[in-house]
Structures are given as structure tokens and as C-alpha cells.
Amino acid sequence: MMNISHHFLTIGQGRILQRFPEKDWEDSPFPQGIELFCQPSGWQLVPERQPASFFVAVLTDINSERHSCACFTFWEGLDNSQVRQMSPEPAVVQSAQVFAPKSLVLVSRLDYTEVFRNCLGLIYTVHVDGLPVPLETVIGNLLTCVIPIAGGSQRTITLGAGDRQVIQTPIDDSLPISGSSVAQLFRQLGIVNVLYLFCAALTEHKILFLSSSYQRLTDACRGLLAIMFPLKYSFTFVPILPGKLLEVLSTPTPFIIGVNSFFRSETQELLDVIIADLDGGTVTIPECVHISLLPEPILQQTQTALSMVLDPELEIADHAFPPLSTQPSALKIQDKEIRAVFLWLFARLFQGYRWCLHIIRIHPEPVIRFHKAAFLGQRALTEDDFLMKVLDGMAFAGFVSERGPPYRATDLFDDLVANHVERIRQEEACPQKVMNHVKELAEQLFKNENPYPAVAMHKVTRPSENSQNNAHNQKPFPGLDDVAVQLFIDHAAAKLKTAPPVVKAELKSMVPSGPPLGDTVDRNGNVMANSARRLEVVRNCITYIFENKMLEAKKLMPAVLRALKGRAARICLTQELNQHVLQNRAVLDDQQFDYIVRMMNCTLQDCSHIDEHGIAAALLPLVTAFCRKLGAGITQFAYSCVQEHMVWTTMQFWESMFYSDVQSHIRALYLETEEGGEISALDLASEQNRLWPTLSKEMQAERVQKEESTVFSQAIHYANRMSYLLLPLDTSKNRLLRSSGLGDVESVSNSYVTNSIAGSMAESYDTESGFEDAESSDVANSVVRFINRFVDKVCNESGVTNEHLKALHTMIPDIVQMHIETLDAVHRESKRLPPIQKPKLLRPTLLPGEELVMDAMRVHLIPDGREEATGLMGGPPLLPAEGAIFLTTYRLIFKGTPTDPLVGEQVVTRSFPIASLTKEKRISVTLPMDQFVQEGLQLRSSTFQLMKIAFDEEVASDLAEVFRKHMHKLRYPQHVQGTFAFTVGQCGKLVVEHKTKDKNQSLRTLSKNLVKSAKKTIGRQYVTRKKYSPPTWENRSSLQSELDEDEISVSEEVDQSSLTLSSTIRSSDRQTMSNVVERACCRDYQRLGLGTLSNSLTRSKNEPFRISTVNRMYTVCRSYPGLLIVPQSIPDTTIHRICRCYRQNRFPVVCWRNSRTKAVLLRSAGLHAKGVVGFFKSPNAPTAVPSQADSTSLEQEKYLQAIISSMPSYSENSGRNTLSGFTSTHMNSSDKLRQPKIGALMKQVMGTKEDVPGTFSRGGKWGSIRGSGRLSAYNPDVGTRLAGKESPQPNGGPSEALFLRQQKAYLYIIGDKAQLKGGKQDSFQQWEVVPIEVCDVRQVKNSFKKLMKACVPSSSTSDPNMSFQRCLEDSEWMLHRVLQVSVLVVELLDTGSSVMVSLEDGWDVTTQVVSLVQLLSDPYYRTFDGFRLLVEKEWLSFGHRFSHRGAQTLGSQSSGFTPVFLQFLDCVHQIHLQFPMEFEFSQYYLKFLAYHYVSNRFRTFLLDSDYERIELGVLYEEKGDRKTPQVCKSVWDYIDRLNKKTPIFYNYMFSPEDEEVLRPYTFISNLKVWDFYMEETLSEGPSYDWELRGRQERVAEETPEKPDTSGPKSQRRIVWPCYDSLSKAVPDAITKLLQDLQSLEAELGQTSEKWKDTWDKIKTTQRTETKLESKPSFSSSLLMSSNLSHQRRSQGVYLQESGVGSSINLALDCEASATSTPVAGRTSTSTLYSQFQSTESENRSFEGILFKKGALLKPWKPRWFVLDKTKHQLRYYETRQDKECKGVIELADVESVIPGTPTMGAPKNIEEKAFFDLKTTKRVYNFCAQDSLNAQLWMDSVQSCLSDA
């Protein structure tokens, strides 16, 4: 029973005027500060009377009980005198009368808003209307009126003023009473907003309501609390906050507070408060606040249910025939329906919660803990943010302590969770059924609040109308008589004392638990696919281990470790292991122990630190059971090997483990007494609680004491267990205080303790010692502290006595110390154990001259982003592999074996040249087999290789550092001479081979002399200069810059260049110069007819070009070769001047000439900006003095003009410059056809939009180089300036000019768009500029990096934006640009215009374009010799900066790796793909070059120019240096030697068309990714160092075969992608035949001939035999290769044939070759017997000429036939002299010889009887002799041979 009101107050002027009773009640103290809440916006006077107002505030007292504080406010008039008394400043209110508020307040613990409103209203009415009832009586009655709290009764009350009210009490007071406040809240804010607030309140955020109505604030706050049931809000709850207390809003704790909208502006700066504006219907969530929402699908279903309650019309809004009435329920009913939805929601969220309660004490009071991790794990909601926060929150803690006890009164929620879970689960997907359930629940809620809905007999007097209107003469509210009221109160109190006590029967019962969680989960939890099979694997493996079948277990192990990722398999493991434990002990041998520990580690590795699936909990007893004997009396338990997991350092885990153990012990305690079967602990507890009051005091005490000691003994047990798992085997290492899991690898342990634990441990016991102490002290202290904290917490919660707790604290250090001592012994012994057998380290084979820098370091090769080797694409996983890394002077090599035992016998090799390393970064790696996190390296190579290695724990970290340093030193030597190509094999040579050394010396001195003399020459040139300091060598481009021609007086040395070469050069240089002449370029120039090195007097004048020696000392241009082709008419002096206009002095020189059109190809660098300006000088500008720029650009123009004049088409045309003349000489029919194509190409290349009339767009052109360069040919020898003089124009006139502009220019200059801005156009011109955009070096560098990442990703990704195709596209590896420009230049040259490529510095893109143009135009460059020559000429001699672009030395490290040459090779590969029959070399040849151009194995691609090579003395040493045959210094020599021995570089499809110009497609869609970027062979590493392949196989041969008893072996073998070399495993047909021949010859003991000879012989034979008259060019080699795949992989060395005893070996050291047999399937070609060369005459019994008919559709051919009785065969030869037999007919096969008849195509004019047929078992041969006599002779001879046989 309870008073309706326990205080009544009148409050005015901001203070309490009177309060009743004046003393506090014993059970309810008086709330302080109540006056603030009655006028929350402050006390103020107003000029007009306001209507009376009423609201209920909620106050929370010190015992956290909530009181309703009902406040009735009315306004009383004051006259001015009163106001003055109140406020000393009279000017405040001007009006005659003002009104002050006065409040009547009652405070109650009950919550009946309407009753309060009526009661206070009645008191006010009695006062206003002057009713004849004393106010004291009414108030006395109010304070003494008593009603029951709950029970569903109804009471009628009266205050004695003729009033009557009926109060209904709720049936169950645990359910909140909401009236219609919840429905109101949803109406104001909407569904989503309220759900946000609901989730925010549950996850402990701050919520602030705003409204201008106080009552609405209270209702909204109460509504929010009502929907949180069964959770109770336990933070600050103030529905109405007075303005004076607004600073409360900045409290750090969560709250729900309401504030009047009047204070809105003050709430603006709150950063972390969610503001709900009830009047505006908005909820504002600050950016920094993240609200976790309900998990899906619950959220969606809740929203649906709420919308069906609030807006039932929504569902049928689209119906054609909607039902007649679908009004939402009345507000009060709707309110309950909404609450029912939330009840249903909580029942779903908390279903099965009772199965996760641990009861740890039953007597005297139940103590209950909730096992959060298990609950989340079984619900598969560990990832869910919302539920995690709710379960961690205060509200849920209250829920557990309130609803945990098993024996108590139950309510609606208990019933729902216990009995309706199944129904909820079945219906959740069907909204209609959910609604039915919700309506049932709503009905119960409504009935609870209104047990008697029909009764409403209220009678309350309201103030009369006139008393409200006639307010002027109203008396103020009188003071009341305290004594009268007090009498009422005392009287009521006396009555209560005499009345009998009311006994309320509490209906306690056992709380039902509901269905267990296990069943509810399987549908949502992800059940792993075919898990039964996986569990089978786990079980089998464990059985094998315990049956000691270790080999079987080893095979299953990887599968088991994979399976243990799944929960079911982990649980299965713990169950299986349990069966092998007898009496808490299981002793294993070393290997068993090792396997079990590995499985345990793998199981624990994926457990989270809270262990939600209870796996760690299940393993905890096992790790203390499994053990192995180490020595006498020393046993090592499994726990010492599984400590590296976060779960052991998590306090939460130990607590829940402890509680569940205590629960089972306490259950056992009570089960002994009554034999119970499967009774759960909670049921037992409820039974005990029911019996408790009936027990005697002694019994009760005994039970309490038993339980307490049970908990105490468990605490001791756990102190032991924790010390087992927290103390590491090597106790010098402290696990607990290592704050991160990625610690240093040397230390034994790698625990994952979070900082918070480490910190809190320091605080736990002796805080003053703190962290410093712990750091310095041993591990024991920190473990003791951790265990002490644990013991304190659990013992306090489970009521262990203080004596026992003290005993524990003294015990723990002893336990730890004892354990440390046993561990030390174990540690000592375990060190003596033989280490687990790690795989033997395999040694790599090294090249001759290659030496180890760092020997084997044990590492693991980790898989990267390439999926082939990991088994994801089928096949077993080759990676990760365990082995060693070796650093040699040349390569970085990994060699090892896969960790997967199924492929354990394979060898994995991955290597790359150290010089190709492009990036190295440190990584940390967790290996799948053991949980150590190791440091590793990721190494990327430009040969498209990536190594991710993790150092084994045996490798010290400083050793890894040394390894990195050595690697860097080798990668970036100080000087080029430090690279492998120079250092190879030096150590031995210094002593042994002095001769070689001397020889080198002479070469070095020679090169030094050369450079010295060059320097002298330069010095001499400047002797006559005044005030000039010679430029430094470094400044290459400005040798003679800024000198005008007038000032230069060149020394004789230079002028002598007109003499013959030999007379000019001093004898010391002559030898070098002859070398220069021998150099590749000169051979090529002579082949192209571009000039000879002859005396100028004898040189024929009509040769347009000459070889100039102007650069012989590399003085003009440092990066050009010594000999250059320049126009005949240009003297060397001019060249000196011209070169200044070009970057790096690289002036235009001729590098190729088209043999048909005689157009030439020139190359140069781009112009200096200064030079460009000179070009565009206006022709008419008055130039009084010839300036320097003019003179240079004039020289330049003269130079270009000289080139144009050299073209035959130009000299023919110079006389008749009409349009027709131009066209006729320039355009034959094919050219006319081709013209538009050039236009299209131009547009493609220039990328311009506008079209100038004509065949192609001329966007951004230079115009004429100088304005006055007319079309008339001025004589180049006239050195006069042309600027002012007009040359006569033959047919000149503007009209022609326009026409001519549409024709071709004689010379096109391909220039860089960026450089050629501006520039006028001139109509008469012979040259034209094609501006193009080129990718600069930076772009190439970046695009290469992206290409590498695309082809060799470092980690696999599922991001669709990172797919291979996308990455490839993003890399922008722009081959098509270069190819487009090249094809354009080819077209222009082919139509007779010359082209000058003048881009960037003339050594990157220029080189690419120029060499591609020559490759496409000239078939010679598509042969071995030609391609070599092309690279030597254009790339090496013309100074492509190989060392700089390849970042080969320390100096060029910063510039980064830029593979310009690789781009060129890729372009060649693209062309090769499109024209497979045009190249003599195979694709493998290109890959070989691509690999070795970065490998630094050969000197060919080192240094930046010929000049640098001469300076180092490496340019000409290659020819003479033959003393060391095994070390090739030039890649070309190496290729030649290799090519002689094996057809690896040869393209069998090679059958070139004569003079074919190739025009490849250049669109991106036509280009393919080069397989060089993608392929790898893990079995042997890269295949480009051939000595290694030979050696590997020899090693294999030397190991003798064991006698094979196992029976016949299969011929089949598996070929794995990325492991085997495909070309080796599956060679193409021709290679295979060549090999077979070689092996057969080796067996027969014959010397085999070179493969090339065999091949050529076959080709010639075949060609003669298959010459088709119609298509003479259709070569036989195509037939030979008709069955070959179009794109062929590289050839390899081939595997041993198991059928043949010998090994086929095409390696370098074995001169291997063979003759061949023709391709099968062509019967016309008879067998070739080259072994048998007949010389003895007696073998030729009969011979002569016969015509033989070929196979189908083939002509009759005369052949020389020989009948051989000895060998019993008929042979035939091409001619009588021919030694090589063309075919053989075995006489044994001949069936008959009969006269024949002439057939089609037989020789004419021969009598019929001359024909005869030879019939064999296989076919019929048709022959024809000269005449019938001859025929008869042949027939007889053959017949006699047959009969002799």
C-alpha cells in the first residue's frame, strides 16, 4: 500500500511558502531543489493573467527512486506596492497590476497523472470558488489517502469536497504504465527517428528532447523508457530540466533529458548530444556520434511491424477494392500495440539468454553471471555492434541481476522468451502473423493497465466560469493552518498502526529457460559446406596420430589445418582429443606431441580473444593433459607450446571459464543429495531457493559454507591454470608486458596483449611499483599481479570470505614460483631435444664465375598475388615453400620445397639477377603453419619476378640486415666496373692469367690515348680564341655554344678532315680507328650504299652522302658514334656549327636508306629552344648585321636542303617544278592509292581535330624552316646568304604554291608537339613538320611500375577495380603510340619522302621509332645478323643510355628504372605475332634479350655511349679476348654459340617474302600482353642462363638409378602451369624430331651433324620436291610448320625419355644435332638415308634415268635411278652426280612389275610401251623410260632381283 501523495507544497516567488508534513517521512525523504522544477523557465512577473497550467516533472532521489512531482501553477495579481517590496527597482513593470505565479505541488511515488491533475485542480477550485470546505481538510485527506501499488484492484477516493475518483491499479507493477505516451512519441517523430533514439538509449548515448510543452517532454521521456522494457534505464533521467541547471547537459555520462524549446540556442554547441525536437518532428545526430542500429533482418522486420500498427492503410493503399474501414486503433490501444512490437523485438534479441547464465552461488542469495561470449557465439552475432554494446551496457547488467535468479515472480516477458520463441521464429517472415501475435500481446498490456475498462465514475468539480473571468477581485491563496493538517496526518498514522498488516502473497515460481540456443542458430549461423567430410578428415588424422601412423597423418595435416578454420571442425577436434585422455593424462612421443600442438595452435589461432565458441574453454583442460617425457622425471605439457594466443591474456575469458566450472561443481554438490538426471544448474538452484526458508539455521549455514569452499578451491585451481598459460617456457621473456603481438622475432613469445591490459596490470596490486618495476623485474611479478586481479574480482562477486581471500593472495606468488622452477627444468631439457627436422637446404647451381656473397639463409617463400602457384587455380599449392635464399654476385636465388606434403618432393626455384631489383620493402608475415609473426622482405625485379620471403626464426635479424646491405651494394655498385659483367670470375684470374691482364692493359692505354688526343684536339681549336675558358667535359651540349662563325678560327687539325683517314690520324690512334671502321655501323652503311671511307679525291661526286670522321674523337657529340653519314656537300666545319642547335649536340644524321625510293631516314635530338626561335625568324625582318642565330639556322637550312637534294626524285624535279612534274615523278599508281592512308595515320599520330584541305591535317606545323627557302633548287655549294636575294622562280605563282601544299613534302620532320608551338606556315616548302605527342621518360617509368604490379601483383585482391584487366588498362603501357609513329614513317619512306625523327634528346623514343622503322622496312634486320646489327647501330652506337635508364650504378639510382629498350622489344614481339613467318629468330630470342639487357651478365648493354665504352676499354676487347671461353662478354657471341648447338632461338616458320615491308595493326585491341611478363617456371627458375640447365641435368644423370623393382612405369607425366616449362615438357614437332634423331644417332654411336645443317638439308630437299609451278614463293617451310601452333612458347631442354636409356641433352656443352625425317602424313616424300653414301660400283647393278610420277596433282619428274642388288632396293637421286639419295623403294615390298599406260601430265612424244608400273604393298609407282627397249630392260632387271630373293 502507498500514499497517493507524501508531500504537498505551495511555492511562490521562487521559494517554498509552506510544506506538509513539515518533517520528512521515514521511508521517503523530501526532494531538495523542488522549487526550480515548478517554474523551469524561471520565476517572472507578467502584465496579464495567464491560464492555469499543469505538468508532471520526474525527480530522482538519492536512493535512485523516481518521484512524480505534479505541479499546478496559477497567477495571482500583485499591486505595485507589493512589487516594490519584492524588487527594489520600481521601473521594472510599468502597468498598474502585475501577476506572479504560484504553484501547488504534490510529490508522489505513484504515477497517476490524471488523478494528480484532478486533486490539485480541486484544491484550486475550493480556493477560487470559495467552496464551503476548509482547504486543510482537503489537503489532509490528500496526504493520508492510501492505495495498493498493484494487483489489479480498483479504489474510489474522495478528498471531502463532494468529489469522487476511481483509481485502477495495474495487475503487474513490473510492466511500465504508458497511457498513450508511446503512440504520441511515434506520431511526433516517426518510426525511423524513434528507432534511432531507441538504439541510442540502449547503446548509452546522450539524448535531449526539445518541446515548448512541459507535459509533452515528460510523456516523450516516459514513452522512450516504456519501449525499452524489459531493460531499465539507469542513467540520468530528467524529463524537465530547469533553465538554471542547463550546465548538466555537458556531463560526460549518458542521459535522457527534456528542455523547453525556449533554451534551444543554448543547446546548439553540444557536440555529442542527439537532439529530438518533438514540435518539429526531427532528430539531429551530430557527425561525431555513430549509432549502432539493430542487426538485420530484425531491423527491417521491426520497421514493417511498426508501420502496420501506425499506418495500416499503407498496406492496402494500392488495392483496387480496399476494405471499408482500416482506421488505426484508438490511441491507447495503438500505444500498447507499439509496445508489443518492442516486446516481440526483445524476445528475439534475448532468446535463449537463460542458457548463458552461470549460477555461482545459490545460498544465501543466488549470484548469477551472464556468459556474453557464448551467447554471441551461439547466436552468430559476434560481429554485431549493437548487441555487443547492449550486452556490455548497464541496463543489461541490471536485467541479469533482476531476471537472472531462477526462483522469482515471472511476468509477460519471461513467458514470451520461454514459451513463444518457436512461434516467433516461424512467423518472423510473415508480417500478418506477426501482427496477430503483436495484437495478442497488446491486449495483455492493455489489460494490465486497465483491468476494469468499463468503470469511469469520476466526479470532480472544476472552477466556475465567472470565478475564472472575475479574477480581479481574487484573494491570494491563503496560508494554511499547519496544526490542522498535521492532525489529519497523525490521526491517519495512528489508524494504520492499529490495522492488521496487509500480507501480499508473492507468487514466486521457477523461471522457465525456454528452448536452448543451439537449435535456434543453425539457420542463421553459416554452416560450412560439406562439413561432414571435413570432420571426417580431422577425426582420421587424430586417429592416425594416436595409432602412430605418422606418414598418413602428415599427408592429412594440411587439409586438417584448412578444415580447422571452421567452427564445427574445431569443436570436433576438442571432442576427439578428449577421448584420448585417461585420468587427466595422455603421454605422447615427440612427433605425436608436435602434431597435437600444431593442431591446437591452429585451432586457437582463429579464436577471438573473447572465445565466443568456447573452443579455448574446451581446450583448456586438454593442454594440461597432453604431455611428453623429456628426461628423468621431467614432463613437458602442451600448455607450454600454445601460449601465443590473445585469449589467454583476456580477463573476460578466465572469468567466464571460472564461473562455468564453479557452476558445474555447485550443481554436483546438490546432485549428490538428490539423484537428478539432466537437471540444469538453474533448475536445481530454483528448487534450492524454494526450500531455503524451510531449512533449519544449521542446515543453511552448512550449505553456505560448502558453497563458499567450493568457490575457494576453484579459485586455487584457476590460479594454477593461469600460471600455466601465462608463464612462458623461457621465463626470461615476459609475455604479459609485451604490448603488441608483433614483437621481436628472437624472443620466444609473441603474445597479443592489448595496451589496456598491460596498463591495468600495472595498477592492480602494488601501484607504486608500476610499469618500470615490472619492466625490470622478472616475469613472475606481472603474472602474480594479473592472477591477483582475477582472484579479487571473482571472489568478491561470488562471496568468498576475507580470510580465504587473504590466504589466496599469499598462495599465488608461491604457486607462480613453483611453476617457474619446473619450467626451468623443462626449458633446459627441451633445448637438448633434437630440433624438428627441417627440410634439407638445397644448393643452387651457379654459373662459371658466379660466386656466393651470402650463403644459405633459411626462409619461407610466401605466395603473392599470382594465383597459379597457390593451388587456387587447381593443382596442389606449390607455395608457400620452405628453403633458403642465396645471394650471389649475379643473382638472388630461392631454392626450396613446398610446405604442402603432397608436393613435398618437388623443388621450387625462383631467382632473378640482382641488377634487375627495382624495389625492396620490409613486410611482416604470419605463416599459416606456426603462429609466429616474422619479418620478411618483398623484392621486386624488372624481369617480372617477385619474391616475398619471411626469414625463419633461426635467422637473426641482424643477419637479415646484413643481407639487405649486401644486396644494395651489389644492386648499385659505385661504378659500372662493379657490375657482374666486369667482376665475373675475377678472384681467380688476378693470379693465373697475366697475359689476359696485359692485353687488357694495352687496350686501356689505347683508349686513354684516344681520349687524350681528343682532348688535345679540342684544346688546339681554342688556341686562337680570346677571353674564352674551355668548357668542362660534363657540359656536353655546350662545347661550342655561343660562338658565331665569324669569331671561330679553327685549327688545321680540323681542316685536314678532307684528307684520307689514314693520313689524318696519328699511328697510335690508327689501330683504334680501324676498329671504328670495323664497327657494325660501317658494314651497314656500305650495305645500304650510303658511302665509303675512301679518299675524297677518288670519291665519285655523284654519291650524295659520305662517311664523315668529324666525330672520330667524340668532340662534336659525345653520345654519337665516331663515324657518321652526312650529305656529301656539307663540310665538317658546318657540322660543328649545326650541332649547337640540337640538344646534346645530336644533329641530324642519316641512318638508313630505302633501296627502292632512295628516301633516307635521319635521326637527331629535338632542337634547343633557341634553335627553334631561329627557325621562325621572319624573312623580311631588316637584319643589318648577320646575327649568330641567323647564321646557324641558315647553316641548318642548308643542311636540310642538302639532304633533300640528295634524293633522286628531287634532282629530277628541280628543273620542272610544275604540278604535273611533281606528281609524275612522285606518284606511281600504288602511291596514289596509299596517300589517304598516310593521312589517316597522320591524324592518328598527331591527334589533331581540324582538317586543312589536302590529304592530311597539318595541325601545328613549323612552316618553312626559313621563310626564303624556295622550291627552286639553289646550288648548295654557294655559301652566300639567301635571306635578301630572291631566287628566280620558274613557274612561280601563288596558285601553284597552294597546289603544292597539298602534295607530299620531300622531307618530313617528326617533332615533339610541345616544342613546336607557334611557327608560320609557308606555301613553298620542301619540308614539313609532323608534331606528335610522345610519352616522356617519366611516363614510361610510371607505366612500367603499374604494368609490373598488374602482371605480378604482390597480394591477391577481390576488389573488382583491381582486376588484372583493369590494372593492365591503368598501366598505360603505350606501345601503340610508338608503333603508330613507326608505321607512319614506314609509309612516308615507302612513298618516297625522307623522314627525320627529331624527338626529345634523341636517345629514347627516337631510337625506338628509328629502329622499328628499319625493322619493318628492311627484311635484313629481321634475321639474326641484321637484328644484332640494328641494336648495335641504333641503340649502342647512337648512345641510348643503358646504364642511366637501367639505374645500374649508385649515381643513377635516383633516376629510377626506365625500360625504353624493353618497350622496343615488346613492339618487336607484337610485330612478330602478326607476321610469324617474317622473322628468322623466335619469340624466345626476344625474351632472352629482354632478360639479359637488365641482368648485367654481359657487357653489351652497359654504359651510355661508345665514347664511355672506349674510355673503359670495353668496346673492342670482345674480338680478341678469347682466352676465357666460358665467360662470354658479349651477349651476341653467347647467342651465336648457343644457336649453333640448339635451335632454341630459331623460328621454324621463317620463310620471308622478298623485300616485304611490314605494316602491323597498331590499335590497342590488336596488341597482346607479352607472355614474358606473365610466365614463370618454378621447377628451374628463369630459362635464360643455359649453362645452368645443362648442369642441372648432368647432376641428375650422375646420381645412379636404383634398381627399379616396382614394375613398368607410366609414360604419362603431369605438366603443371607455372611449375614445368611447357616448351620443355611438350616440345613442338620439329624440335622433337631433331631431338629424337640426335638420341638415335647417339645410340648408334654416329657423330651427329649440326642441327642447322640438318634443317637446311631438309628444307632444300623439300623445296625441290614440292616446288608448285603456280606459287613458286609458297615455301616448304610453311608445310613443315603447318601443324605448329601459331604463337609458340620458348623452347627448353627436354626431359629424359623414360623409354630410352640415354638422356636427350641440347645443352651448351654437348655438340648436339641431327638429321631429320620428314613430317609424317605426306607419303610422297620417301625416306631419306643420309647415313648410307654409296661409293662401291658393285652395289649399282643397274642405273639410268627414268621419269617418275609424283603424288596426286604433282608433275612427272626425271630422276636418276639405281638398282642395288646388295641392299635389295631401288634408290633414286636428283641427278647422276648427286651424292644424296632422294628416296628408296624397298624391293622386299614390291609385288609386281607390269607394263603401264600414260597418265595425265606424262612426258610428251614417248611411245606407250615405255611406261611401266611398280606395284608395292603400299602404293603403285608409275615410271616412264626413254623408249620401250629401255623400259623392258628395267622391268627385267627388277624382276631378276625379285626372283633372286
Side-chain angles (χ1 to χ4, degrees), residues 231-249:
L231 299 181
K232 293 191 174 162
Y233 192 72
S234 52
F235 295 101
T236 312
F237 176 75
V238 186
I240 299 173
L241 184 71
K244 284 191 176 168
L245 301 181
L246 280 181
E247 66 267 19
V248 171
L249 293 176

Side-chain angles (χ1 to χ4, degrees), residues 7-10 16-24 30:
H7 284 98
F8 177 83
L9 312 118
T10 58
I16 300 175
L17 301 177
Q18 278 188 302
R19 67 170 261 207
F20 307 99
E22 289 181 347
K23 295 190 183 70
D24 287 3
F30 177 74

Side-chain angles (χ1 to χ4, degrees), residues 855-867:
D855 209 343
M857 294 170 65
R858 191 180 286 280
V859 295
H860 294 265
L861 184 62
I862 306 296
D864 45 56
R866 294 172 286 183
E867 293 180 335

Side-chain angles (χ1 to χ4, degrees), residues 580-587 624-627 629 635 637:
H580 293 279
V581 179
L582 302 169
Q583 283 100 34
N584 297 338
R585 207 31 94 79
V587 184
T624 53
F626 287 104
C627 59
K629 292 263 187 289
T635 308
F637 283 90

Side-chain angles (χ1 to χ4, degrees), residues 851-857 885-888 959-960 962-964 966-967:
E851 284 136 22
L852 280 171
V853 177
M854 282 193 80
D855 209 343
M857 294 170 65
I885 194 148
F886 300 84
L887 181 63
T888 74
L959 198 62
V962 172
F963 170 77
R964 284 181 68 236
H966 274 300
M967 196 164 60

Side-chain angles (χ1 to χ4, degrees), residues 1429-1446:
L1429 211 143
L1430 180 68
V1431 173
E1432 284 187 335
K1433 177 177 72 164
E1434 298 301 339
W1435 290 86
L1436 297 164
S1437 292
F1438 274 99
H1440 171 65
R1441 308 179 65 193
F1442 279 104
S1443 281
H1444 186 74
R1445 294 278 176 257

Side-chain angles (χ1 to χ4, degrees), residues 180-208:
S180 56
S181 57
V182 175
Q184 202 64 49
L185 179 65
F186 272 88
R187 290 207 168 168
Q188 286 161 340
L189 294 178
I191 294 175
V192 176
N193 280 341
V194 178
L195 279 176
Y196 266 113
L197 291 179
F198 169 74
C199 293
L202 285 181
T203 52
E204 305 186 351
H205 287 289
K206 306 177 186 179
I207 299 174
L208 178 65

